[in-house]
Amino acid sequence: AITDATNRYGKSYAFLDQTIVAMDKHVKELKGTSAQLDEQLRVSMGKVNELASETGATIDVTGASDDTPEGAAWNFFTSKGYSPELAAGIIGNLMTESGLNTGIWAGDNSGAYGIGQWLGERLQGLKDFAASNGTAIDDLNTQLAYVDYELKHGESAAFQSISNSDLSQPEGAAYAVSKYYERPTWAANPERQQNARDVYDKYLNGT
């Protein structure tokens, strides 16, 4: 009986590995709308969760086990279905913008605030988003969720442009996020790309 159980779990985990690889490949190739992305990820993650239920296994597909803001951000974006490269690209930009400090105001007196250094209407959007969810404006999960919300709503055109970019490496993803979502004066800032690479290597490759 023990041998049968071992074989069954071994086959289940092998299938899980294949499912995750196929899901990651599909996310990289998908060039549709955010709605299409959500549906495809829902189906793929459903298969993973179904397998976990059948085997009784606890599955960690995020790779981040620390309690740092970077680890929390990695877990958040990968759990939302962003590819590892794109998740790292987003986080790399947020690190340059704010060091992932949720309560930071820009030092240039521009009024930019939070991990995304939001201004004007986008900052008001964060305030409204937090209020509608009953959370504090400086809560990390709230601000991460607002990034995701923006990309699927007010910044959906930016997300489409990002999705149509070369996201095969975290550096390319960081550049796309910088150019289309954060939109700083210097979109090709190498610090954003290096941050993305560091996050990617730490949480995906464990290096």
Side-chain angles (χ1 to χ4, degrees):
I2 294 176
T3 301
D4 290 343
T6 300
N7 290 337
R8 177 166 62 84
Y9 280 101
K11 292 179 180 179
S12 297
Y13 280 111
F15 175 75
L16 172 61
D17 288 339
Q18 294 173 359
T19 301
I20 293 174
V21 170
M23 179 178 67
D24 184 54
K25 179 180 179 182
H26 183 74
V27 171
K28 293 177 184 177
E29 295 175 348
L30 185 61
K31 299 300 182 182
T33 65
S34 59
Q36 291 173 316
L37 177 62
D38 286 342
E39 176 60 19
Q40 294 296 332
L41 290 169
R42 183 189 66 79
V43 172
S44 296
M45 289 305 299
K47 292 179 180 178
V48 173
N49 291 332
E50 181 180 345
L51 179 61
S53 178
E54 290 175 355
T55 62
T58 300
I59 301 170
D60 177 11
V61 298
T62 61
S65 58
D66 61 48
D67 58 358
T68 63
E70 292 85 356
W74 175 269
N75 286 341
F76 176 83
F77 288 116
T78 54
S79 73
K80 289 293 183 180
Y82 293 84
S83 71
E85 292 79 9
L86 183 50
I90 295 171
I91 298 167
N93 273 275
L94 298 178
M95 290 169 68
T96 294
E97 290 290 333
S98 62
L100 286 171
N101 182 339
T102 60
I104 193 170
W105 292 92
D108 59 2
N109 297 318
S110 64
Y113 175 81
I115 61 173
Q117 289 293 278
W118 292 285
L119 278 165
E121 292 184 358
R122 294 176 69 181
L123 176 55
Q124 185 59 50
L126 171 62
K127 295 177 180 178
D128 294 343
F129 182 81
S132 67
N133 286 282
T135 56
I137 187 177
D138 62 351
D139 176 69
L140 177 59
N141 287 331
T142 297
Q143 293 193 13
L144 293 172
Y146 184 60
V147 173
D148 178 59
Y149 178 82
E150 275 202 311
L151 288 170
K152 294 175 179 176
H153 294 84
E155 293 289 323
S156 60
F159 184 59
Q160 186 63 56
S161 295
I162 292 169
S163 299
N164 289 335
S165 302
D166 181 2
L167 304 179
S168 61
Q169 298 295 326
E171 291 87 351
Y175 174 70
V177 173
S178 177
K179 181 178 180 179
Y180 297 114
Y181 177 67
E182 287 293 348
R183 301 189 287 274
T185 303
W186 186 20
N189 184 346
E191 178 185 314
R192 297 170 186 264
Q193 298 179 37
Q194 186 60 55
N195 286 341
R197 169 55 66 180
D198 291 345
V199 167
Y200 183 84
D201 287 344
K202 179 177 181 179
Y203 294 118
L204 184 68
N205 299 329
T207 59

